[in-house]
Amino acid sequence: MSDPRAKPAVPRLDEEDPRAPTVRPPFDPEAYARESETNIRLETVPPSNRPTAPPPPGVSQYLPGITSGTMQSLGSVTSDAVPSLAVAREDLEWFDLAQPTRTLLALVDGVAPIAGLAERAGVTLDGAMASFHELARDGIVTLRH
Protein backbone atom coordinates (compact mmCIF):
# COMPACT_ATOMS: atom_id res chain seq x y z
CA MET A 1 0.00 0.00 0.00
CA SER A 2 1.00 3.62 -0.29
CA ASP A 3 2.19 5.89 2.44
CA PRO A 4 -0.51 8.50 3.32
CA ARG A 5 2.12 10.91 4.60
CA ALA A 6 3.60 11.33 1.10
CA LYS A 7 0.50 13.07 -0.23
CA PRO A 8 -0.18 16.80 0.35
CA ALA A 9 -3.21 17.69 2.44
CA VAL A 10 -4.74 19.82 -0.40
CA PRO A 11 -4.59 18.39 -3.91
CA ARG A 12 -2.70 20.67 -6.32
CA LEU A 13 -4.70 21.53 -9.45
CA ASP A 14 -3.01 22.08 -12.79
CA GLU A 15 -3.80 25.46 -14.45
CA GLU A 16 -5.09 23.67 -17.55
CA ASP A 17 -7.37 21.51 -15.44
CA PRO A 18 -11.02 22.67 -15.92
CA ARG A 19 -11.50 22.35 -12.13
CA ALA A 20 -8.83 25.01 -11.48
CA PRO A 21 -10.22 28.01 -9.61
CA THR A 22 -10.67 31.26 -11.56
CA VAL A 23 -8.35 33.97 -10.39
CA ARG A 24 -9.45 37.57 -10.65
CA PRO A 25 -7.04 39.66 -12.79
CA PRO A 26 -4.99 42.38 -11.08
CA PHE A 27 -7.20 45.07 -12.69
CA ASP A 28 -10.92 45.84 -12.99
CA PRO A 29 -12.10 44.30 -16.31
CA GLU A 30 -15.18 46.53 -16.50
CA ALA A 31 -13.13 49.71 -16.01
CA TYR A 32 -10.66 48.48 -18.65
CA ALA A 33 -13.50 47.89 -21.12
CA ARG A 34 -14.96 51.36 -20.51
CA GLU A 35 -11.55 52.99 -20.93
CA SER A 36 -10.84 51.03 -24.12
CA GLU A 37 -14.14 52.14 -25.67
CA THR A 38 -13.40 55.81 -24.98
CA ASN A 39 -10.01 55.47 -26.71
CA ILE A 40 -11.53 54.16 -29.95
CA ARG A 41 -11.39 56.76 -32.69
CA LEU A 42 -13.46 56.27 -35.81
CA GLU A 43 -11.70 57.23 -38.98
CA THR A 44 -13.73 59.72 -40.94
CA VAL A 45 -13.47 59.67 -44.71
CA PRO A 46 -13.64 63.13 -46.26
CA PRO A 47 -16.08 63.61 -49.12
CA SER A 48 -14.68 63.19 -52.61
CA ASN A 49 -13.22 66.24 -54.26
CA ARG A 50 -14.07 64.89 -57.70
CA PRO A 51 -16.87 66.87 -59.26
CA THR A 52 -19.86 65.09 -60.67
CA ALA A 53 -20.85 65.87 -64.22
CA PRO A 54 -24.13 65.55 -66.04
CA PRO A 55 -24.44 62.79 -68.63
CA PRO A 56 -23.13 63.68 -72.09
CA PRO A 57 -25.57 65.02 -74.67
CA GLY A 58 -27.69 62.32 -76.25
CA VAL A 59 -27.77 60.06 -73.19
CA SER A 60 -31.23 60.01 -71.71
CA GLN A 61 -31.75 60.63 -68.00
CA TYR A 62 -33.27 58.12 -65.64
CA LEU A 63 -36.94 57.73 -66.32
CA PRO A 64 -39.47 58.16 -63.48
CA GLY A 65 -40.24 54.88 -61.80
CA ILE A 66 -36.95 53.23 -62.71
CA THR A 67 -35.21 52.59 -59.43
CA SER A 68 -32.51 50.14 -60.47
CA GLY A 69 -30.44 52.78 -62.23
CA THR A 70 -31.10 51.30 -65.65
CA MET A 71 -30.84 53.90 -68.35
CA GLN A 72 -32.72 53.80 -71.62
CA SER A 73 -29.84 55.20 -73.66
CA LEU A 74 -29.17 52.05 -75.69
CA GLY A 75 -32.70 51.51 -76.93
CA SER A 76 -32.26 53.92 -79.80
CA VAL A 77 -29.16 52.72 -81.66
CA THR A 78 -29.08 54.55 -84.97
CA SER A 79 -27.31 53.68 -88.19
CA ASP A 80 -25.15 56.81 -87.93
CA ALA A 81 -23.84 55.92 -84.45
CA VAL A 82 -20.05 55.37 -84.39
CA PRO A 83 -18.92 52.39 -82.29
CA SER A 84 -15.57 52.28 -80.48
CA LEU A 85 -14.10 49.32 -78.67
CA ALA A 86 -14.35 49.56 -74.89
CA VAL A 87 -12.16 46.49 -74.36
CA ALA A 88 -8.78 45.56 -75.77
CA ARG A 89 -8.97 43.93 -79.18
CA GLU A 90 -6.99 40.95 -77.82
CA ASP A 91 -9.71 40.35 -75.18
CA LEU A 92 -12.49 39.91 -77.75
CA GLU A 93 -11.62 36.23 -78.14
CA TRP A 94 -12.83 35.65 -74.56
CA PHE A 95 -16.39 36.67 -75.43
CA ASP A 96 -18.90 34.18 -76.84
CA LEU A 97 -19.89 36.13 -79.96
CA ALA A 98 -21.55 35.03 -83.20
CA GLN A 99 -19.40 35.16 -86.33
CA PRO A 100 -21.29 38.13 -87.91
CA THR A 101 -20.70 40.09 -84.71
CA ARG A 102 -17.00 39.17 -84.73
CA THR A 103 -16.79 40.33 -88.36
CA LEU A 104 -18.35 43.67 -87.42
CA LEU A 105 -15.98 44.10 -84.46
CA ALA A 106 -12.97 43.44 -86.68
CA LEU A 107 -13.96 46.50 -88.72
CA VAL A 108 -14.58 48.88 -85.80
CA ASP A 109 -12.16 51.79 -86.06
CA GLY A 110 -13.90 54.52 -84.03
CA VAL A 111 -14.61 56.53 -87.20
CA ALA A 112 -17.00 54.50 -89.39
CA PRO A 113 -20.72 54.51 -88.50
CA ILE A 114 -22.74 51.33 -88.05
CA ALA A 115 -24.26 51.64 -91.55
CA GLY A 116 -20.82 51.65 -93.17
CA LEU A 117 -19.60 48.76 -91.03
CA ALA A 118 -22.69 46.70 -91.91
CA GLU A 119 -22.16 47.31 -95.62
CA ARG A 120 -18.44 46.39 -95.48
CA ALA A 121 -19.16 43.26 -93.40
CA GLY A 122 -22.03 42.10 -95.60
CA VAL A 123 -24.44 42.15 -92.65
CA THR A 124 -27.98 43.58 -92.79
CA LEU A 125 -28.33 46.99 -91.21
CA ASP A 126 -30.95 45.70 -88.75
CA GLY A 127 -28.66 42.83 -87.76
CA ALA A 128 -25.69 45.18 -87.28
CA MET A 129 -27.75 47.59 -85.18
CA ALA A 130 -29.02 44.72 -83.01
CA SER A 131 -25.46 43.42 -82.58
CA PHE A 132 -24.09 46.82 -81.59
CA HIS A 133 -27.01 47.32 -79.21
CA GLU A 134 -26.04 44.10 -77.38
CA LEU A 135 -22.33 44.91 -77.51
CA ALA A 136 -22.94 48.36 -76.01
CA ARG A 137 -25.24 46.89 -73.34
CA ASP A 138 -22.52 44.37 -72.42
CA GLY A 139 -19.85 47.11 -72.28
CA ILE A 140 -17.80 45.77 -75.19
CA VAL A 141 -18.30 48.91 -77.31
CA THR A 142 -19.35 52.48 -76.74
CA LEU A 143 -21.55 54.32 -79.21
CA ARG A 144 -21.10 57.95 -80.18
CA HIS A 145 -23.98 59.68 -81.96
Side-chain angles (χ1 to χ4, degrees):
M1 297 244 192
S2 67
D3 183 6
R5 290 177 285 166
K7 295 182 184 176
V10 178
R12 185 171 178 206
L13 297 177
D14 187 15
E15 290 180 7
E16 293 181 15
D17 187 349
R19 298 176 295 159
T22 304
V23 178
R24 188 148 180 90
F27 58 89
D28 181 13
E30 291 179 9
Y32 178 78
R34 280 192 302 276
E35 183 180 333
S36 295
E37 288 177 0
T38 59
N39 290 333
I40 294 176
R41 287 185 171 65
L42 296 178
E43 182 180 330
T44 57
V45 179
S48 173
N49 291 333
R50 288 190 243 163
T52 56
V59 177
S60 63
Q61 298 290 326
Y62 295 113
L63 298 175
I66 297 179
T67 58
S68 68
T70 304
M71 294 180 71
Q72 300 296 320
S73 63
L74 299 176
S76 61
V77 175
T78 61
S79 61
D80 62 338
V82 178
S84 296
L85 288 177
V87 298
R89 197 167 290 277
E90 306 85 52
D91 293 342
L92 291 175
E93 64 189 49
W94 292 98
F95 295 97
D96 184 25
L97 302 171
Q99 188 54 47
T101 303
R102 289 190 179 280
T103 304
L104 286 167
L105 284 172
L107 300 171
V108 170
D109 59 4
V111 178
I114 292 176
L117 296 173
E119 186 177 330
R120 287 175 34 206
V123 177
T124 65
L125 182 58
D126 288 342
M129 289 172 54
S131 292
F132 281 111
H133 171 77
E134 289 179 18
L135 292 167
R137 183 194 65 214
D138 294 342
I140 299 172
V141 299
T142 57
L143 299 174
R144 189 178 75 244
H145 293 280

